[in-house]
């Protein structure tokens, strides 16, 4: 019964927010060039609303209107993987309709301010799905809960050994050896954890590595020595979105963002000289 209910929650969220499903709400919204308000589901609206707040707090570095940029560079469901590296004019043209300021939310409606605006919720919807399942289980009376979807986690209570939940953070090996190692371990006390990194989703074009982390302001892939960022928060939606935003920034600037934000803590894995890995974390990441 629980399995069926969880499957139903995930099915409904996918039908609302997956750009990989042609008939989903988000896909139909993206195809629609109308500037008229469009009515959307409550979960879809909530995620857009929360993402808008994080967009503002992150200095516009978390941006779910980045779909056209990703598409241009060869990422996402519509992308041509063999496409050449776009020129500056192509990028400039696309940026004309990128930015959460180009969308209006007025419950239960969402309105494009540019007909070509398109949404991509891959950096926030998975975290929300974790929260949704966690809240459903909690509402059914469960207090010891562990929910994980694709590496995004939210825990409540204790594990079967009656100890706090202890989770491992994967080591993003620079040399791509097919060996998984744990970079670090951290306790989650009724908290969520999400990790974003460049070590899995990238492609090589003209002998140049293009990773899937993009600066939504410049429209360019981020060149960084930050391999991954793991973010702790009370909600997985928040952790998921911030992990993406912090990947855009150099470590020092990212740390400032975390210090200014009372609801997140973070751990950075950074590649330094000779491919050695260094770890940096905010004050409250470890207990």
């Amino acid at each position: 019964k629980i399995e069926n209910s969880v499957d139903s929650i995930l099915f409904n969220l996918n039908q609302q927010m997956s750009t990989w499903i042609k008939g989903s709400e988000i896909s139909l919204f993206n195809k629609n060039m109308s500037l008229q308000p469009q009515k959307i589901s409550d979960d879809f609206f909530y995620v857009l609303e929360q993402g808008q707040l994080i967009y503002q707090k992150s200095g516009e570095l978390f941006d779910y209107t980045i779909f056209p940029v990703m598409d241009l560079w060869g990422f996402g469901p519509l992308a041509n993987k063999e496409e050449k590296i776009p020129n500056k004019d192509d990028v400039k043209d696309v940026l004309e309709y990128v930015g959460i300021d180009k969308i209006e939310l007025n419950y239960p409606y969402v309105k494009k301010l540019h007909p070509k605006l398109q949404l991509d919720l891959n950096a926030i919807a998975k975290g929300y799905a974790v929260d949704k399942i966690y809240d459903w289980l909690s509402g059914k009376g469960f207090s010891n809960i562990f929910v994980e979807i694709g590496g995004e986690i939210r825990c409540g209570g204790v594990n079967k050994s009656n100890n706090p939940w202890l989770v491992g953070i994967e080591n993003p090996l620079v040399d791509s050896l097919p060996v998984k190692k744990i970079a670090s371990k951290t306790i989650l006390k009724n908290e969520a954890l999400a990790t974003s990194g460049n070590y899995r989703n990238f492609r090589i074009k003209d002998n140049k590595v293009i990773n899937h982390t993009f600066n939504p302001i410049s429209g360019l892939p981020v060149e960084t020595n930050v391999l991954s960022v793991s973010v702790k928060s009370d909600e997985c939606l928040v952790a998921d979105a911030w992990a993406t935003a912090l990947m855009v920034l150099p470590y020092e600037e990212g740390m400032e963002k975390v210090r200014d934000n009372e609801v997140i803590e973070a751990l950075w894995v950074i590649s330094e000289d000779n491919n050695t890995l260094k770890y940096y974390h905010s004050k409250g990441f470890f207990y």
Side-chain angles (χ1 to χ4, degrees), residues 108-143:
Y109 297 95
V110 58
K111 179 183 175 184
K112 295 184 180 185
L113 300 182
H114 191 292
K116 289 187 177 182
L117 179 137
Q118 292 179 302
L119 305 175
D120 181 343
L121 297 176
N122 287 331
I124 191 170
K126 191 166 40 167
Y128 179 67
V130 170
D131 289 333
K132 191 85 173 172
I133 293 167
Y134 180 96
D135 290 342
W136 184 86
L137 290 168
S138 181
K140 291 295 177 184
F142 295 99
S143 55

Side-chain angles (χ1 to χ4, degrees), residues 241-254:
W242 270 105
T244 299
L246 291 174
M247 278 297 302
V248 178
L249 287 169
Y251 152 69
E252 294 83 2
E253 292 180 35

Side-chain angles (χ1 to χ4, degrees), residues 48-66 99-101 123-124 214-217 231 237-250 253-264:
L48 293 182
E49 196 173 46
Q50 294 303 304
Q52 194 175 58
L53 296 175
I54 296 170
Y55 169 79
Q56 293 161 357
K57 289 180 181 178
S58 68
E60 304 180 4
L61 292 176
F62 174 79
D63 193 330
Y64 53 59
T65 68
I66 201 169
I100 293 180
D101 58 329
I124 191 170
F214 284 81
N215 185 320
I217 298 170
V231 175
L237 173 151
V238 173
D240 196 8
W242 270 105
T244 299
L246 291 174
M247 278 297 302
V248 178
L249 287 169
E253 292 180 35
M255 180 65 86
E256 286 300 315
K257 290 284 185 188
V258 174
R259 285 180 181 142
D260 292 340
N261 194 319
E262 295 180 353
V263 301
I264 58 172

Side-chain angles (χ1 to χ4, degrees), residues 34-54:
S34 171
L35 296 179
Q36 295 300 310
Q38 300 176 51
K39 189 176 182 180
I40 60 174
S41 300
D42 285 358
D43 288 316
F44 191 0
F45 188 90
Y46 178 80
V47 170
L48 293 182
E49 196 173 46
Q50 294 303 304
Q52 194 175 58
L53 296 175
I54 296 170

Side-chain angles (χ1 to χ4, degrees), residues 17-263:
M17 290 178 267
S18 174
T19 54
W20 298 89
I21 298 173
K22 289 183 179 179
S24 68
E25 279 191 62
I26 193 169
S27 292
L28 296 177
F29 177 85
N30 284 347
K31 289 175 192 170
N32 191 339
M33 306 280 278
S34 171
L35 296 179
Q36 295 300 310
Q38 300 176 51
K39 189 176 182 180
I40 60 174
S41 300
D42 285 358
D43 288 316
F44 191 0
F45 188 90
Y46 178 80
V47 170
L48 293 182
E49 196 173 46
Q50 294 303 304
Q52 194 175 58
L53 296 175
I54 296 170
Y55 169 79
Q56 293 161 357
K57 289 180 181 178
S58 68
E60 304 180 4
L61 292 176
F62 174 79
D63 193 330
Y64 53 59
T65 68
I66 201 169
F67 186 102
V69 171
M70 304 290 285
D71 187 42
L72 183 67
W73 284 89
F75 293 91
L78 305 178
N80 175 4
K81 306 300 182 190
E82 298 303 315
E83 190 142 351
K84 293 180 180 178
I85 294 174
N87 61 45
K88 291 180 180 179
D89 289 339
D90 292 335
V91 174
K92 186 178 178 182
D93 289 346
V94 164
L95 289 176
E96 290 294 320
Y97 43 93
V98 169
I100 293 180
D101 58 329
K102 295 177 178 65
I103 191 170
E104 278 185 4
L105 303 179
N106 185 19
Y107 180 81
Y109 297 95
V110 58
K111 179 183 175 184
K112 295 184 180 185
L113 300 182
H114 191 292
K116 289 187 177 182
L117 179 137
Q118 292 179 302
L119 305 175
D120 181 343
L121 297 176
N122 287 331
I124 191 170
K126 191 166 40 167
Y128 179 67
V130 170
D131 289 333
K132 191 85 173 172
I133 293 167
Y134 180 96
D135 290 342
W136 184 86
L137 290 168
S138 181
K140 291 295 177 184
F142 295 99
S143 55
N144 300 320
I145 303 168
F146 181 99
V147 181
E148 182 266 340
I149 302 175
E152 320 297 32
I153 298 168
R154 186 168 171 184
C155 300
V158 294
N159 64 21
K160 63 182 180 180
S161 301
N162 210 36
N163 292 317
W165 293 103
L166 181 66
V167 300
I169 296 168
E170 190 177 347
N171 194 342
L173 293 172
V174 181
D175 52 8
S176 300
L177 286 172
V179 179
K180 284 190 177 182
K181 293 184 179 179
I182 300 300
S184 185
K185 298 175 184 177
T186 186
I187 290 172
L188 295 181
K189 296 181 179 179
N190 300 315
E191 293 170 304
L193 178 76
T195 298
S196 184
N198 288 321
Y199 53 99
R200 282 211 178 114
N201 194 1
F202 61 89
R203 64 190 186 93
I204 297 174
K205 187 68 181 175
D206 299 336
N207 294 320
K208 185 174 183 179
V209 175
I210 301 172
N211 68 63
H212 80 302
T213 301
F214 284 81
N215 185 320
I217 298 170
S218 69
L220 302 175
V222 176
E223 295 184 13
T224 178
N225 64 345
V226 177
L227 297 180
S228 71
V229 183
S230 299
V231 175
K232 268 187 183 181
S233 188
D234 290 343
E235 295 180 338
C236 202
L237 173 151
V238 173
D240 196 8
W242 270 105
T244 299
L246 291 174
M247 278 297 302
V248 178
L249 287 169
Y251 152 69
E252 294 83 2
E253 292 180 35
M255 180 65 86
E256 286 300 315
K257 290 284 185 188
V258 174
R259 285 180 181 142
D260 292 340
N261 194 319
E262 295 180 353
V263 301

